[in-house]
């Protein structure tokens, strides 16, 4: 399958809560809290996908700072200095459905990038499962008839 076959899964960039690498820890925490997400994509100034920051990344970074970083002074520290412990891999818009599913097996969402590595949106694992569920339901209906 070519990319156009899974594009209907794509949640476009405009609808995804993202942060930029030059955001502060406080801005990142507030964005995650507001949207109730445990992970958000990080973009550079040109809109290229850099990685995904998780709550765990932020908490471990604060812990490892030995008390230097607190919630009160988080606006003085930059997201770009936070080590990303989990690598959320993107898929190219030209990838096939199998590549997308293989990543979705290990990630809650799959960032999608264009041929210049610019972030264009995400595909949520839950959408893929719902799509596959329809085929399973049809198959079990057909075998029980």
């Amino acid at each position: 399958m070519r990319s156009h076959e899974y594009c209907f899964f794509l949640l476009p960039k405009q609808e995804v809560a993202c942060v930029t690498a030059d955001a502060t820890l406080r801005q990142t925490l507030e964005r995650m809290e507001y949207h109730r997400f445990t992970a958000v994509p990080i973009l550079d100034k040109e809109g290229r996908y850099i990685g995904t920051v998780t709550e765990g990344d932020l908490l471990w970074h604060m812990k490892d700072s030995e008390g230097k970083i607190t919630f009160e002074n988080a606006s003085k520290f930059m997201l770009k200095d936070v080590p990303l412990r989990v690598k959320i891999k993107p898929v190219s818009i030209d990838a096939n459905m199998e590549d997308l599913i293989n990543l979705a097996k290990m990630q809650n969402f799959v960032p999608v990038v264009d041929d210049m590595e610019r972030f264009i949106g995400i595909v949520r694992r839950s959408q893929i499962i719902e799509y596959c569920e329809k085929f399973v339901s049809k198959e079990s209906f057909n075998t029980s008839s």
Side-chain angles (χ1 to χ4, degrees), residues 6 10 49 88-101 103-104 107 110-115 117-123:
Y6 71 78
L10 185 72
Y49 175 74
I88 304 294
K89 296 178 184 171
V91 68
S92 167
I93 190 65
D94 294 325
N96 61 39
M97 190 68 160
E98 185 177 347
D99 293 336
L100 176 69
I101 290 172
L103 286 174
Q107 303 172 182
V110 180
V112 181
V113 296
D114 67 12
D115 57 353
E117 298 299 312
R118 287 182 305 232
F119 178 78
I120 59 172
I122 63 169
V123 175

Side-chain angles (χ1 to χ4, degrees), residues 39-103:
V40 293
I42 306 169
L43 309 180
D44 69 10
K45 290 179 183 176
E46 287 77 38
R48 288 186 298 259
Y49 175 74
I50 295 173
T52 296
V53 64
T54 67
E55 288 176 329
D57 295 331
L58 299 172
L59 290 170
W60 284 110
H61 186 62
M62 292 174 80
K63 177 196 169 283
D64 293 344
S65 77
E66 299 177 352
K68 294 177 190 152
I69 304 173
T70 64
F71 289 110
E72 290 75 29
N73 71 3
S75 60
K76 297 178 183 175
F77 297 90
M78 305 306 291
L79 176 60
K80 63 185 171 191
D81 297 324
V82 175
L84 304 179
R85 294 176 181 262
V86 178
K87 301 295 182 211
I88 304 294
K89 296 178 184 171
V91 68
S92 167
I93 190 65
D94 294 325
N96 61 39
M97 190 68 160
E98 185 177 347
D99 293 336
L100 176 69
I101 290 172
N102 282 332
L103 286 174

